[in-house]
Amino acid sequence: MNDMLPVRDALFVVGGKWKLMILISLSHGNTRFTQIEKSIPKISSKVLSKELKDLEENELIKRTVVEDYPVSIRYSLTDYAQTLGKVILELHTWGINHRKRIIGKNAVTADHV
């Protein structure tokens, strides 16, 4: 049972349909809300806003107000978020292999990260 607690905690922070996609989008240089939103197909503004707040509360992203005209908001990965790099890479590799196994050799398509 003690083996499950850390996994449960990790899934609580990055689980769900969108959080890892948001982190990947940020890692690709999308720093503004609209850039992130456009980079993730089918995410709504409302959901993106909530997920960004959750990721900020868990210290994975930083929200910065840029005092320019007009004022803008930028999002960036924290150093703490960088510790997920190996996990995301392993999930990516596993996902490619799983799609090949289940769907076939041409399973990886351009609409996936």
Side-chain angles (χ1 to χ4, degrees), residues 27-112:
S27 75
H28 289 165
N30 298 309
T31 60
R32 298 184 60 174
F33 187 92
T34 53
Q35 292 174 318
I36 299 166
E37 186 176 33
K38 287 177 183 177
S39 73
I40 304 171
K42 299 183 182 178
I43 191 169
S44 71
S45 296
K46 182 178 177 180
V47 169
L48 177 56
S49 180
K50 181 202 172 299
E51 299 290 79
L52 286 168
K53 286 176 187 171
D54 288 350
L55 290 167
E56 185 179 13
E57 286 175 10
N58 284 287
E59 301 179 6
L60 294 174
I61 66 169
K62 181 180 179 188
R63 180 181 182 268
T64 305
V65 177
V66 179
E67 298 291 339
D68 225 357
Y69 185 80
V71 173
S72 64
I73 309 289
R74 304 270 183 200
Y75 296 92
S76 59
L77 296 174
T78 63
D79 290 342
Y80 186 47
Q82 303 295 338
T83 65
L84 286 169
K86 286 191 239 179
V87 174
I88 293 170
L89 182 58
E90 287 297 324
L91 282 170
H92 180 264
T93 302
W94 188 88
I96 289 170
N97 292 331
H98 177 69
R99 289 182 64 81
K100 286 178 182 175
R101 178 184 178 114
I102 300 301
I103 299 172
K105 291 182 179 173
N106 297 321
V108 180
T109 61
D111 65 335
H112 289 84

